[in-house]
Amino acid sequence: MPERRTVALVTLGCARNEVDSEELAGRLAADGWQLVEDAADADVAVVNTCGFVEAAKKDSVDALLEANDLKDHGRTQAVVAVGCMAERYGKELAEALPEADGVLGFDDYSDISDRLQTILSGGIHAAHTPRDRRKLLPISPAERQDAAGVALPGHAQEPAAPPQDLPEGLAPASGPRAPLRRRLGSEPVASVKLASGCDRRCSFCAIPSFRGSFISRRPSDVLSETRWLAEQGVKEVMLVSENNTSYGKDLGDIRLLETLLPELAAVDGIARIRVSYLQPAEMRPGLIDVLTGTDKVAPYFDLSFQHSAPGVLRAMRRFGDTDRFLELLETIRTKAPQAGARSNFIVGFPGESEADLAELERFLSEARLDAIGVFGYSDEDGTEAAGYEDKVDPEVVAERLARVSRLAEELTAQRAAERVGETVRVLVDRIDDEDDGVVGRAAHQAPETDGVTLLTNGQDLRPGRMVEAKVVASEGVDLVAEVLSVDGTGCTEEAGR
């Protein structure tokens, strides 16, 4: 019997990419590939790249080069680029980076096994010429659900030939329409795609051009995938897309998320539902009510503010201002005082003045955000802002980035300190005996981005347990808490049972 082909998936970028990697893993496992964690142990290393900003693209190139080095002293025979940077640049990336044995776009995902086999056998798969994926779907959102033949990574699409007998740990994640999904980790949290693409036209963002127009997944698919993840031991599901507040607009109901969330929260085994990527201009009173008042739905608001000075926001093709954003946060906290809020901001945008920067600092100082990401502006290929005049000098951008980052660090540490004395619900993520001990996350802490909660008396806990704890201290953005009860048992001794 021939030795099984082995493949490793290396994932960079956001949670949406993690979902796409698990779809690719499912397709490959169903076709007989053996998945391994370490690229050095794989015949083929597949690098799921990020193409968002320059720093992310550099990280992707570095990962491809690092994987290529394995070919000199390991099992690895081929390195293949997939993901956003591969889709965005295609043939250009293949020519600029000959170390990659293949560059595959989204249209290759359904045939990923054949593509990798061709490359592994020494064949050549010609990289695609990039195209504007917004043009692949109808302009009218209502007509998009019927559009066939458009690759939508992470969506519920039926495989061409669904296997009758699936390997252990593999399942059609959303019933008969779904792609195969295979978990690549054992963490108690996993992401589920609500939608792909974006109809907004922010002047600094290239994502819609290579991710396409906005298209929702059907609620039944999202529910089915959530049930499957619960069967795999997942306790927290994070709903992701480029813009979750638009969910349902192409299905005839812009309020569909408000009805879907309680259904997801009712799935057996799921302890928490978290929604990410919310647009402030699209927040609805009903959505705020559901996010702040539904059991098991985290009162968590990942709001894409980007800036708060009106002139800068208009140049970004966005809406709002400092006072309106503060009013939104006040509305949320009136309904749920402990609600979490985070956002990202761009400094040094073309035309940004010192007065604009001061306005942003005013907003940050009053907003009491739990987590703040700050990025310095840089031109992105194909965006409207790349052609703007009145660019801010790169040295000034760097100075503003450092200045606002320092402020953000101070403010988020202050916000964490405000939470001392609160009682929080913490999901245990991992046990780190050598360093932090028991590490989890409260409702206001999303994975990877928002800090953690360290449990001082949870020695008997294991990942996936939900506990009630009292915050006794803070360390930067992180919290330190004492366990009060475990899954409602009232005592930590039950944690390991």
Side-chain angles (χ1 to χ4, degrees), residues 18 40 66 80 97 115 119 182 189 200 207-208 244-245 247 267 330 389 402 424 439 443 464 467 474 487 490:
E18 294 172 5
E66 182 178 342
V80 175
L97 196 69
R115 299 287 188 267
I119 294 167
R182 176 71 173 261
V189 59
R200 300 182 72 87
I207 288 176
N244 281 336
T245 34
Y247 180 69
V267 171
E330 179 61 25
E389 298 179 354
V424 294
V439 182
V467 307
S474 62
D487 292 341

Side-chain angles (χ1 to χ4, degrees), residues 183-189 232-233 429 463:
R183 293 213 69 204
L184 293 174
S186 58
E187 298 84 0
V189 59
Q232 301 296 306
D429 275 344

Side-chain angles (χ1 to χ4, degrees), residues 299-302 332-333 336 338-342 370 415 419 443-444:
Y300 175 80
F301 293 81
D302 177 13
I332 291 167
R333 288 172 177 143
Q338 290 186 219
R342 78 169 319 277
D370 293 281
R415 178 67 183 122
R419 292 192 178 273
H444 69 281

Side-chain angles (χ1 to χ4, degrees), residues 193-262:
K193 278 197 177 181
L194 269 185
S196 284
C198 186
D199 288 342
R200 300 182 72 87
R201 293 296 178 262
C202 301
S203 63
F204 56 84
C205 184
I207 288 176
S209 66
F210 58 85
R211 276 288 184 181
S213 296
F214 184 89
I215 182 167
S216 303
R217 292 181 71 193
R218 295 186 179 278
S220 58
D221 294 335
V222 178
L223 269 166
S224 183
E225 186 166 337
T226 299
R227 293 189 184 106
W228 178 78
L229 287 168
E231 292 170 358
Q232 301 296 306
V234 169
K235 298 299 181 183
E236 177 178 324
V237 164
M238 185 164 70
L239 302 178
V240 299
S241 75
E242 278 73 22
N243 177 10
N244 281 336
T245 34
S246 282
Y247 180 69
K249 73 174 187 179
D250 51 326
L251 295 171
D253 186 359
I254 191 61
R255 296 175 297 278
L256 197 55
L257 184 56
E258 287 94 304
T259 57
L260 177 60
L261 283 172

Side-chain angles (χ1 to χ4, degrees), residues 161-192:
Q164 299 301 310
D165 298 311
L166 301 179
E168 183 180 354
L170 191 64
S174 307
R177 283 172 39 84
L180 300 172
R181 177 170 179 174
R182 176 71 173 261
R183 293 213 69 204
L184 293 174
S186 58
E187 298 84 0
V189 59
S191 296
V192 171

Side-chain angles (χ1 to χ4, degrees), residues 53 306-307 342-348 352 357 360 364 369 371-377 397-409 411-412:
V53 293
Q306 302 299 341
H307 211 283
R342 78 169 319 277
S343 192
N344 294 323
F345 299 88
I346 298 172
V347 297
E352 180 190 61
L357 191 68
L360 174 59
L364 293 175
L369 299 175
I372 300 170
V374 187
F375 300 88
Y377 173 82
V397 174
E399 186 278 328
R400 291 179 180 179
L401 174 60
R403 169 176 154 186
V404 177
S405 295
R406 286 193 299 270
L407 176 63
E409 185 175 355
L411 293 171
T412 52

Side-chain angles (χ1 to χ4, degrees), residues 437-497:
V438 180
V439 182
R441 289 173 297 102
H444 69 281
Q445 296 170 321
E448 307 294 335
T449 59
D450 299 345
V452 298
T453 298
L454 310 177
L455 298 173
T456 60
N457 60 333
Q459 291 77 8
D460 296 323
L461 293 169
R462 62 175 182 265
R465 297 306 295 262
M466 183 71 80
V467 307
E468 189 174 82
K470 182 176 181 179
V471 181
V472 296
S474 62
E475 299 176 356
V477 296
D478 299 332
L479 303 180
V480 179
E482 295 179 350
V483 177
L484 300 177
S485 64
V486 180
D487 292 341
T489 64
C491 59
T492 59
E493 285 75 16
E494 293 292 321
R497 300 182 188 176

